[in-house]
Amino acid sequence: MEHSIEYLEKQFQDRIDRGENIEAKDWMPEKYRKTHIRQISQHAHSEIVGMLPEGNWISRAPSLRRKVALLAKVQDEAGHGLYLYSAAETLGISRDELFHQLHTGKAKYSSIFNYPAVSWADMGAIGWLVDGAAIINQVMLTRTSYGPYARAMVRICKEESFHQRQGYEIMITLCNGTEEQKEMAQDALNRWWWPSLMMFGPTDAESTHTEQSMKWKIKRKTNDELRQQFIDITIPQAEFLGLTVPDPDLKWNEERGHYDFGEIDWTEFWQVVKGYGPCNKERLKARNKAWDEGAWVREAALAYAEKQSAKKIISKAV
Amino acid sequence: MKNEWPLYEVFIRSKNGLEHRHVGSLHASDAEMAIENARDVYTRRQEGVSIWVVPSSEITASNPENFGELFEPAEDKVYRHPTFYDLPHELKHI
């Protein structure tokens, strides 16, 4: 029996409201599918591009302990990208198309990775702040309505906690070190603080996707709620390090039970989103280079596999 | 696009005594590479002792639209559950 779109959409919303998960083969509104492809692939691209600023520091890590940790973290990010690409593919888009969207600049990734990592202290600040902000968002997403996305998030969250802890450990070590090392840590906090707050996206008033995403339980909290949660958690951690958060308006608001904070520079945010951040070009160039230079490997592996399977067929026939 | 490596579904046995469980999927040029990739992608923290990989194209799945005819018949067969049967409370070990 054929049902009208309105009927199917109503049934779909009822399922979401009852707290049911949606699985790959279930009927879903076209916009739900598209929103998910956009969001999951942006998330996957962020993991993959996110390897670049840190990968650059693996060979420069100050000790073997730091080196194995950073290497493991970057490898996790590759893994997280792969979990997410697989989840996006369940919605009927191919991996090649997803890569194509990234490489041509059609798809976005988190703007934070368009900032350069210029000192070793940045490895600390990225783990502590960038992964910290990502965790807040990702913990929420473990309860998102689309099953394959939620399951990928559970796996990612289990692995991500070490990323933040290794970052904070770097910060502690620097802050307990020489005057210059502490200055490096402060400088990294100064540069990464505001971009980390921007990771939660535009304010609720400006966010075009939030309302529908909340209705479909893609998101369970708004950008502003998540940002406030991050600030409230992070300020005591900065105080523990003896570092100063670069925001003169930051102060505890007893009445609200939250920290008040200064105005975010949204002009900068939109500049970076639109492709004019310090490293946008460099990041895309690195991704395209890796993809293009790996083409012969992908082709050779496929040719080998075809040859092997042809051999098997022949040997069976004989 | 024609040059894409085929997709494999990955199943991991977390320890002997437990079943293999679906964990996700990945692309590989052949089954052998799929196992090697699955090792790197899904067992970086000793999550498994055994891996199965199956070409996704080989899986036949039931259609959610057929939920009713497939699964609803079981709904009214409560007599398949032990609690359906009224026995005196003083009775033990049954």
Side-chain angles (χ1 to χ4, degrees):
Chain A
M1 195 172 68
E2 284 293 307
H3 293 294
S4 71
I5 288 284
E6 289 75 21
Y7 175 82
L8 289 167
E9 280 180 354
K10 168 83 174 58
Q11 281 218 316
F12 180 84
Q13 189 61 51
D14 289 347
R15 289 187 64 193
I16 301 263
D17 294 343
R18 281 198 300 270
E20 283 183 36
N21 278 117
I22 306 302
E23 294 294 342
K25 284 169 70 93
D26 293 347
W27 186 89
M28 60 186 82
E30 209 37 44
K31 197 169 166 222
Y32 181 88
R33 181 187 303 278
K34 287 214 171 105
T35 302
H36 265 98
I37 290 177
R38 180 177 52 79
Q39 187 175 326
I40 301 172
S41 65
Q42 276 182 13
H43 201 155
H45 300 325
S46 302
E47 297 281 356
I48 298 301
V49 177
M51 292 193 282
L52 296 170
E54 290 175 313
N56 189 36
W57 280 95
I58 293 172
S59 60
R60 298 171 175 84
S63 70
L64 187 58
R65 179 184 157 89
R66 295 290 184 227
K67 188 169 181 164
V68 291
L70 190 58
L71 198 55
K73 178 180 192 285
V74 172
Q75 195 190 5
D76 272 354
E77 277 149 13
H80 297 175
L82 293 176
Y83 305 154
L84 289 160
Y85 281 130
S86 296
E89 283 173 275
T90 62
L91 293 160
I93 187 164
S94 73
R95 183 75 59 97
D96 276 0
E97 176 59 23
L98 291 167
F99 282 150
H100 179 74
Q101 290 179 353
L102 172 64
H103 296 154
T104 53
K106 193 185 159 212
K108 298 273 181 263
Y109 53 86
S110 183
S111 283
I112 194 88
F113 302 116
N114 290 319
Y115 291 86
V118 296
S119 87
W120 171 253
D122 290 14
M123 295 303 99
I126 289 175
W128 171 36
L129 301 171
V130 177
D131 288 272
I135 287 169
I136 297 225
N137 194 36
Q138 290 173 165
V139 165
M140 167 192 75
L141 288 170
T142 59
R143 297 188 300 124
T144 192
S145 62
Y146 187 56
Y149 192 24
R151 289 192 289 276
M153 278 300 123
V154 170
R155 197 176 292 280
I156 288 172
C157 284
K158 272 188 199 161
E159 299 181 349
E160 196 93 30
S161 159
F162 118 71
H163 296 185
Q164 198 190 10
R165 288 173 66 101
Q166 67 89 37
Y168 196 76
E169 198 191 82
I170 292 172
M171 295 302 276
I172 291 185
T173 308
L174 289 171
C175 291
N176 290 336
T178 63
E179 204 49 46
E180 277 160 312
Q181 285 171 324
K182 190 159 186 184
E183 271 169 31
M184 271 172 71
Q186 181 64 56
D187 172 61
L189 172 59
N190 292 349
R191 284 179 292 106
W192 290 97
W193 175 253
W194 291 106
S196 298
L197 297 190
M198 294 176 197
M199 281 177 72
F200 297 97
T203 60
D204 295 349
E206 297 286 322
S207 174
T208 45
H209 302 299
T210 295
E211 197 188 339
Q212 182 65 71
S213 290
M214 298 282 282
K215 199 173 155 225
W216 277 335
K217 295 186 185 169
I218 300 174
K219 292 174 78 153
R220 301 246 176 186
K221 289 178 182 174
T222 69
N223 295 353
D224 286 336
E225 284 173 328
L226 293 168
R227 187 164 17 241
Q228 184 72 60
Q229 190 184 336
F230 173 74
I231 291 170
D232 291 348
I233 289 174
T234 309
I235 299 306
Q237 295 168 356
E239 285 168 356
F240 184 86
L241 292 170
L243 296 178
T244 309
V245 173
D247 178 358
D249 296 324
L250 188 86
K251 63 168 190 296
W252 178 253
N253 183 326
E254 192 65 49
E255 207 173 299
R256 289 203 308 131
H258 294 291
Y259 283 92
D260 289 337
F261 55 98
E263 182 70 23
I264 292 171
D265 182 356
W266 294 110
T267 318
E268 176 183 323
F269 174 77
W270 289 114
Q271 283 285 101
V272 183
V273 169
K274 287 179 179 145
Y276 304 108
C279 299
N280 296 55
K281 279 189 184 150
E282 191 184 326
R283 301 293 184 236
L284 272 193
K285 202 175 147 198
R287 280 312 311 156
N288 274 292
K289 183 169 181 275
W291 178 253
D292 293 343
E293 291 181 358
W296 72 270
V297 181
R298 295 192 299 276
E299 283 161 23
L302 208 53
Y304 174 78
E306 277 161 11
K307 206 168 162 184
Q308 291 300 311
S309 91
K311 262 191 203 165
K312 260 187 216 161
I313 293 165
I314 292 167
S315 68
K316 267 186 201 161
V318 176
Chain B
M1 290 181 202
K2 60 184 186 309
N3 284 332
E4 196 173 276
W5 287 348
L7 192 65
Y8 286 83
E9 299 301 319
V10 180
F11 300 81
I12 305 271
R13 184 203 294 288
S14 59
K15 62 177 192 179
N16 278 6
L18 295 177
E19 70 279 48
H20 285 77
R21 202 170 158 188
H22 184 244
V23 292
S25 55
L26 50 76
H27 289 270
S29 61
D30 59 23
E32 201 183 330
M33 188 198 277
I35 294 223
E36 284 164 5
N37 287 358
R39 193 276 311 262
D40 288 342
V41 177
Y42 292 105
T43 66
R44 287 193 301 282
R45 288 174 177 79
Q46 299 178 290
E47 289 93 339
V49 294
S50 166
I51 301 171
W52 288 350
V53 291
V54 183
S56 308
S57 58
E58 294 294 316
I59 289 184
T60 309
S62 64
N63 190 330
E65 278 173 29
N66 300 336
F67 179 90
E69 60 200 77
L70 285 173
F71 305 112
E72 274 171 15
E75 269 176 27
D76 57 1
K77 295 181 176 56
V78 284
Y79 47 86
R80 285 180 171 156
H81 297 278
T83 47
F84 178 73
Y85 299 93
D86 293 325
L87 296 183
H89 285 298
E90 56 270 34
L91 211 58
K92 301 288 177 212
H93 307 298
I94 181 162

